[in-house]
Amino acid sequence: MFFALQGIGNAIYMPALLALLADLSPIRARGTSMSLFQGISRFGMIIGPIIGGYIADLYGLRGPFTLYGVGGFSALIITLLFIKEPTLTEAPISKKNATPSLGTKSLLKNYNVLGICLLGLILSFISLSVRNILIPVYYNSIGFSTTKIDSILTAIAFGSLIMTILGGFLSDRFGRKTIIITAFIITAFSTFIMSYVDNYFGFLTAILLGFGLGILSVLTVYMMDVSPVEYRGTAMGLRQTFSSLGITIGPLTVGLIADTAGISTSYFLLS
């Protein structure tokens, strides 16, 4: 039950936070702002388990929960005291992309919003399936040790972290659509060739895949740009819902394909 409450809290918190960040960020620097936020968040996800494990060794399994509870309460105090609700004064980017909406149904009729939601679903589908299913199963089948498999997964995380930070800056400079198209090409190419390489080239391909996945964090910034200002929170919620759907169905679908048609087929379909 407590895990369910945690999931509900996260589902409410994240869209609201992203919408707030969009409201506070100048349009021309929104990609850079989002990249910094997502980069810091991913860094926290990297060091969080390390700190949690260390605290558990010192104070037992209740220690990390106590620490995270104190952190959550501190975040609540900071939000109450220092975070102000912004005034929605931003002008629409264009009449086409900022047509007034009456809610979720109208947002889904906006081709820009719906397209980004579907791309987010595909991204989550690919990301979780490759990292959680295909890489461990495939590289284990060709004799890689657990350490080597972990190094490949670490390479993906490292590449993703770097380009998450740089992706928003690049999108501010060259445009969201150009960066997103480039990132999907990189992701598709690296996913396709990953089942044909090993050793040193497998490690380099993993970094390349991480680059593609990291750059695609720009999808969130693009959603901020095209969604109507007054319904930006709803749009962020839709974006997260579609991504969660991809996370849910991706590993199951790819696992079934791998069992029936082989790992290489799964890589090919994902690319």
Side-chain angles (χ1 to χ4, degrees):
M1 179 178 178
F2 289 108
F3 285 109
L5 290 175
Q6 182 184 22
I8 292 173
N10 184 68
I12 296 173
Y13 152 82
M14 187 54 68
L17 178 61
L18 293 174
L20 177 62
L21 183 62
D23 293 339
L24 295 174
S25 303
I27 296 177
R28 294 183 180 276
R30 185 174 288 158
T32 302
S33 300
M34 179 56 59
S35 291
L36 291 174
F37 165 74
Q38 291 183 321
I40 293 172
S41 297
R42 295 198 181 193
F43 180 73
M45 294 173 65
I46 293 173
I47 66 172
I50 298 174
I51 296 175
Y54 179 74
I55 296 297
D57 289 339
L58 291 178
Y59 302 105
L61 294 178
R62 291 185 178 180
F65 290 96
T66 302
L67 177 63
Y68 297 156
V70 171
F73 184 75
S74 300
L76 172 63
I77 298 300
I78 292 173
T79 301
L80 291 173
L81 295 180
F82 300 107
I83 303 300
K84 306 298 182 182
E85 189 74 27
T87 302
L88 297 179
T89 58
E90 177 185 326
I93 294 177
S94 71
K95 292 182 179 180
K96 178 180 180 181
N97 290 339
T99 302
S101 170
L102 297 178
T104 302
K105 182 181 295 187
S106 295
L107 279 172
L108 290 176
K109 292 179 180 179
N110 182 321
Y111 291 121
N112 287 307
V113 172
L114 180 59
I116 295 169
C117 287
L118 293 176
L119 289 176
L121 187 152
I122 294 171
L123 172 61
S124 299
F125 190 105
I126 294 174
S127 177
L128 267 293
S129 299
V130 170
R131 289 186 294 183
N132 292 4
I133 302 293
L134 295 185
I135 287 178
V137 172
Y138 171 71
Y139 284 101
N140 181 69
S141 69
I142 62 175
F144 272 42
S145 65
T146 302
T147 302
K148 286 186 177 181
I149 294 175
D150 286 344
S151 68
I152 290 176
L153 295 174
T154 301
I156 294 176
F158 179 73
S160 179
L161 177 61
I162 292 176
M163 295 313 298
T164 294
I165 297 174
L166 295 179
F169 170 78
L170 294 174
S171 74
D172 285 339
R173 184 175 179 84
F174 299 106
R176 318 285 192 227
K177 187 174 181 179
T178 300
I179 295 301
I180 290 171
I181 291 174
T182 302
F184 268 111
I185 291 174
I186 293 173
T187 302
F189 174 75
S190 56
T191 302
F192 177 75
I193 66 173
M194 187 162 278
S195 63
Y196 298 96
V197 298
D198 53 21
N199 296 325
Y200 178 73
F201 291 103
F203 184 79
L204 292 180
T205 304
I207 296 178
L208 185 63
L209 176 60
F211 284 170
L213 295 175
I215 296 172
L216 285 171
S217 61
V218 173
L219 282 172
T220 301
V221 186
Y222 199 20
M223 177 66 89
M224 293 176 177
D225 290 344
V226 302
S227 57
V229 177
E230 65 273 22
Y231 290 103
R232 188 172 281 151
T234 303
M236 293 297 106
L238 285 173
R239 163 86 169 88
Q240 183 168 334
T241 299
F242 275 78
S243 295
S244 297
L245 180 61
I247 292 172
T248 302
I249 66 176
L252 176 61
T253 304
V254 171
L256 291 174
I257 294 174
D259 287 340
T260 56
I263 295 291
S264 296
T265 302
S266 298
Y267 273 113
F268 177 76
L269 292 176
L270 286 179
S271 64

